[in-house]
Amino acid sequence: AGPGASANGANGANVAGAGGALASGARSTLTSEEVPDAAAVGRWWRVCSAGDVVVREEEFLISAELRRIRPGSWVQQAAPARRIVHGPATGLIRLPVLPSGWVTSDARAVNGPLFFEPAERWRVVHRSGAMSGDVVVRVGFMFNSDEVAMLSIGDVVECVEDKVTISGVERMYVALPVGARAPFGKASLGSPSVSHGWVSLDATAAGGPRFFERCDDSSSLGKA
């Protein structure tokens, strides 16, 4: 499932087995702090647990359930993550997601599972020499699909789908950065809904250039 599945579910129910930690999530006792390594609003996270993830209305673990997210689905971060710092659930990390709600991202501190992993981040390193931009973003994974945006050297994108290889060229589906430019000859990206697209990651096997390099700051919510 790709980013389009992000509104269908998320995690929290499985934490009930983590030493009864749910009880410490009551509104009257919850104390939490911001997680510095997971403060980036807009980041994408993939469900890596075996079961569905529960999205709850508030940060509190016993707040109302809104929906569930299936394994492999993506969610987008809405605000900085919070780590519980008091009671039996100390160390458990809660993540606010779009369009609404909170999920448990990491329960390993209370003997539970890791629920989410961050999207890989890639930086444009290819310089095309063209005024229109350095990397073409297309609506589909095929090379003849419509152009939806242009990226410039230094732009950073997040890979939010499994990569594919076509005729020796590795392709990836990415979330577009805020600074993405419109394709050549177009005044804008065309639609507010155009937020993702396909790019060529590495064409060296086909005699072409390498367009991106992996960023080294794809931090995990579970990082100590």
Side-chain angles (χ1 to χ4, degrees), residues 4-221:
S6 63
N8 296 330
N11 200 2
N14 306 30
V15 183
L22 282 175
S24 70
R27 183 189 304 269
S28 60
T29 60
L30 182 65
T31 303
S32 64
E33 63 182 5
E34 184 176 305
V35 181
D37 291 326
V41 176
R43 286 295 306 272
W44 287 90
W45 300 85
R46 190 175 196 172
V47 179
C48 60
S49 60
D52 290 354
V53 174
V54 176
V55 182
R56 296 192 179 276
E57 185 175 10
E58 300 178 76
E59 179 183 353
F60 316 105
L61 296 173
I62 58 174
S63 62
E65 180 178 326
L66 298 179
R67 58 192 182 277
R68 297 196 174 207
I69 301 178
R70 297 180 62 82
S73 298
W74 293 86
V75 297
Q76 190 173 22
Q77 185 171 344
R82 307 287 301 180
R83 179 186 290 112
I84 297 176
V85 295
H86 176 76
T90 296
L92 185 144
I93 299 175
R94 299 282 285 163
L95 180 73
V97 298
L98 295 175
S100 63
W102 289 75
V103 297
T104 295
S105 59
D106 189 348
R108 290 176 296 177
V110 291
N111 299 316
L114 176 68
F115 292 115
F116 288 87
E117 59 185 5
E120 294 179 354
R121 303 181 77 233
W122 295 83
R123 180 178 289 105
V124 176
V125 294
H126 173 67
R127 191 185 297 276
S128 70
M131 294 183 62
S132 57
D134 299 305
V135 173
V136 177
V137 184
R138 297 185 181 276
V139 67
F141 62 84
M142 298 301 293
F143 301 116
N144 60 354
S145 64
D146 291 341
E147 297 181 13
V148 295
M150 294 294 296
L151 300 175
S152 300
I153 190 166
D155 284 347
V156 175
V157 298
E158 291 178 281
C159 179
V160 291
E161 189 57 88
D162 293 334
K163 303 178 187 69
V164 300
T165 299
I166 303 173
S167 301
V169 179
E170 190 173 17
R171 304 271 288 166
M172 64 179 178
Y173 188 62
V174 300
L176 299 181
V178 175
R181 301 163 62 180
F184 181 73
K186 295 185 178 181
S188 68
L189 295 182
S191 168
S193 63
V194 177
S195 57
H196 297 77
W198 286 87
V199 297
S200 292
L201 167 60
D202 189 354
T204 54
R210 183 175 182 84
F211 297 94
F212 292 83
E213 68 178 13
R214 178 78 180 270
C215 297
D216 60 2
D217 57 349
S218 295
S219 61
S220 170
L221 280 175

